[in-house]
Amino acid sequence: MRIILGVTGGIAAYKAADLARSLVREGHEVQPVLTRSAEEFVSAVTFASLTGKKVLTNLFEPSAAIEHIDVAQGNDLLLVAPATANILAEFAHGLAGGFLSTLYLAFRGPVILAPAMNTNMWEHDATRANLETLRRRGHVIVEPGVGMLACGTFGAGRLAENEAILDAVRRVVNPVVRDLEGEIVLITAGPTQETIDPVRYISNRSSGKMGYALAEAAVERGAKVILVSGPVALDAPRGVEMVRVRTAAEMRTAVFAKLEPATVVIKCAAVADYRPAAPADRKIKKKGAAVTLELAPVGDILAELGQTHGNRLLVGFAAETDNLLEYARRKLEEKNCDMIVANRVGGEGSAFESDTNEVFLVMKGGEVIEVPRASKRAIADRILGQIVRLSQGVAVTR
Ligand code: PMT
């Protein structure tokens, strides 16, 4: 595929060099376009060497008179990574002040935008409105990650990992088959928060990325998706029915309220196993001495679903620090599931929070399918692929 790689001016611009290299490695012809501010962060020579192409930057070079039109017409995909708040605004409002924004207006193919910026800029109403406009135009937004940003703040706005951006490109190259049409998929995602007192709670590190990736992928494959989500910093995927909850008890109520029409249930949420036995209704005051918090067990939603399994497919997760497959098989049996997605947690490569994951799909029939490390979106597609086969009653092997 012939891809225009637009690079705009942000600290994450250096990551676009690696992206350009990966795109070339995957067999694409890459035409780099750098904005003037991108040139303050990275050198055009780097991109020229990596892609073997002349880097386009300036609308007013004598030879560039209609170059933006030629480039727009001679390429199949426009990818902008990183995309600053400014370029999103220019694209959303059709401003054509620079080479990249002019090219955008002349371009007729699919557009993928991977934003990166300061958290406040990302959360600003103006940016939200611009993103909404761009989404409505059908452009793909590769959501930024949460983390420590170059400006020293912690929050959303970090450029998505290159693997997630490459994945978005792969989905344009190989369009998704709508093989979940007619299915109603109920997915849980994110952590739960169990109240200690009005200002404190017990929770876990789940970011919601794995569950949201499943929801996004299921929608693209034609399913009606109901997403029951604990508190996370992610936007609702397009086209899902969102139910936001906080505690495990709220999640249980929401799941059973939405269960009836569901043909597939995927329990990806990291639900509390214990909650404070007697939450205080006033803030617990600090004392010098140690305090003890009594915890009461929380009912297992997945196990309860397993008891009333019916005809629907039931997929659970197993998050384990050790004995991954042994515990996953036990959960498959005990919770009466059709599949358990087993992933490792804690330490390097933990499934929690990261943009990537590696899993084993432990199937009811005894098969175990290893899915090597990939973006959570790619893992989601592998999981859904197995669900499609299960729903078609096809013998499940690789
Ligand atoms: O959100 P991310 O940062 O992307 O991270 C993804 C993830 C690590 C949270 C996800 O991939 C994952 O492993 N989710 C399940 C986490 C978990 O709670 O695992 P578990 O082994 O403790 O629970 C097993 C299963 O029982 C899970 O399907 C869980 O949803 C379910 N459960 C657990 C407790 C409970 N009270 N009710 C439940 O339904």
Side-chain angles (χ1 to χ4, degrees):
M1 189 170 261
R2 295 163 302 173
I3 299 175
I4 305 163
L5 174 61
V7 183
T8 65
I11 193 74
Y14 75 94
K15 296 183 183 169
D18 207 35
L19 189 60
R21 187 204 320 266
S22 302
L23 289 168
V24 170
R25 272 202 195 131
E26 294 202 4
H28 302 296
E29 202 179 299
V30 180
Q31 171 59 67
V33 176
L34 266 58
T35 61
R36 277 187 195 283
S37 50
E39 285 187 286
E40 300 289 328
F41 291 89
V42 286
S43 148
V45 179
T46 308
F47 287 87
S49 328
L50 289 170
T51 62
K53 293 263 185 176
K54 175 187 162 204
V55 178
L56 304 170
T57 50
N58 186 357
L59 192 56
F60 298 110
E61 263 177 41
S63 65
I66 50 163
E67 211 162 15
H68 58 284
I69 307 289
D70 289 348
V71 174
Q73 288 175 353
N75 284 278
D76 309 305
L77 168 70
L78 170 60
L79 164 66
V80 184
T84 56
N86 184 65
I87 204 75
L88 297 180
E90 287 189 12
F91 283 7
H93 296 280
L95 302 175
F99 192 97
L100 186 57
S101 47
T102 311
L103 167 78
Y104 167 76
L105 285 184
F107 185 67
R108 285 285 163 270
V111 177
I112 300 176
L113 304 165
M117 66 197 74
N118 157 274
T119 304
N120 289 346
M121 293 169 77
W122 173 246
E123 289 172 352
H124 197 284
D125 284 351
T127 307
R128 303 272 95 196
N130 291 336
L131 282 166
E132 194 40 43
T133 303
L134 295 166
R135 281 198 181 98
R136 257 189 279 114
R137 250 171 237 165
H139 300 346
V140 174
I141 311 293
V142 186
E143 291 279 323
V146 175
M148 188 56 78
L149 305 178
C151 55
T153 49
F154 183 88
R158 198 175 57 177
L159 182 68
E161 285 173 23
N162 277 350
E163 192 53 33
I165 301 172
L166 289 168
D167 242 29
V169 172
R170 289 177 197 132
R171 284 197 299 280
V172 171
V173 177
N174 303 308
V176 177
V177 183
R178 290 177 69 81
D179 49 7
L180 283 174
E181 206 114 33
E183 303 288 352
I184 301 178
V185 184
L186 174 58
I187 300 171
T188 68
T192 60
Q193 295 178 351
E194 308 304 322
T195 303
I196 298 173
D197 71 12
V199 294
R200 303 179 178 98
Y201 56 78
I202 298 176
S203 191
N204 60 65
R205 292 180 181 278
S206 171
S207 63
K209 286 177 190 169
M210 188 66 246
Y212 278 54
L214 279 160
E216 192 182 281
V219 167
E220 276 184 27
R221 294 169 85 131
K224 172 177 169 15
V225 176
I226 305 161
L227 179 59
V228 178
S229 173
V232 297
L234 302 174
D235 286 342
R238 285 191 81 195
V240 306
E241 178 186 339
M242 278 300 291
V243 185
R244 295 187 194 274
V245 298
R246 199 172 74 80
T247 63
E250 286 172 15
M251 185 167 279
R252 183 195 171 279
T253 304
V255 165
F256 282 94
K258 296 290 177 186
L259 183 63
E260 210 270 315
T263 54
V264 180
V265 179
I266 309 177
K267 284 287 290 106
C268 180
V271 189
D273 290 323
Y274 293 94
R275 60 172 178 79
D281 52 13
R282 287 166 182 246
K283 185 180 169 200
I284 299 169
K285 298 304 290 176
K286 185 163 68 178
K287 298 183 197 117
V291 290
T292 304
L293 186 65
E294 194 188 339
L295 299 178
V298 168
D300 192 306
I301 307 168
L302 181 59
E304 201 177 336
L305 287 167
Q307 283 162 19
T308 51
H309 192 296
N311 283 333
R312 64 180 63 89
L313 289 173
L314 186 55
V315 178
F317 271 67
E320 309 290 351
T321 50
D322 38 28
N323 299 332
L324 183 59
L325 285 179
E326 183 192 332
Y327 290 146
R329 285 195 185 100
R330 200 178 296 171
K331 279 178 183 160
L332 186 85
E333 280 295 312
E334 288 174 358
K335 304 194 188 197
N336 192 20
C337 294
D338 298 287
M339 183 199 320
I340 287 283
V341 181
N343 49 198
R344 232 172 268 287
V345 295
E348 209 179 310
S350 173
F352 279 103
E353 294 175 309
S354 133
D355 287 341
T356 60
N357 201 359
E358 54 188 329
V359 302
F360 291 95
L361 307 181
V362 181
M363 314 301 297
K364 199 176 185 173
E367 304 90 337
V368 175
I369 299 160
E370 185 176 355
V371 186
R373 185 157 292 279
S375 71
K376 283 186 172 166
R377 178 50 209 261
I379 299 282
D381 270 314
R382 290 296 299 275
I383 295 168
L384 293 175
Q386 289 304 313
I387 287 175
V388 168
R389 291 201 182 97
L390 281 175
S391 69
Q392 292 168 345
V394 174
V396 181
T397 56
R398 216 165 222 288

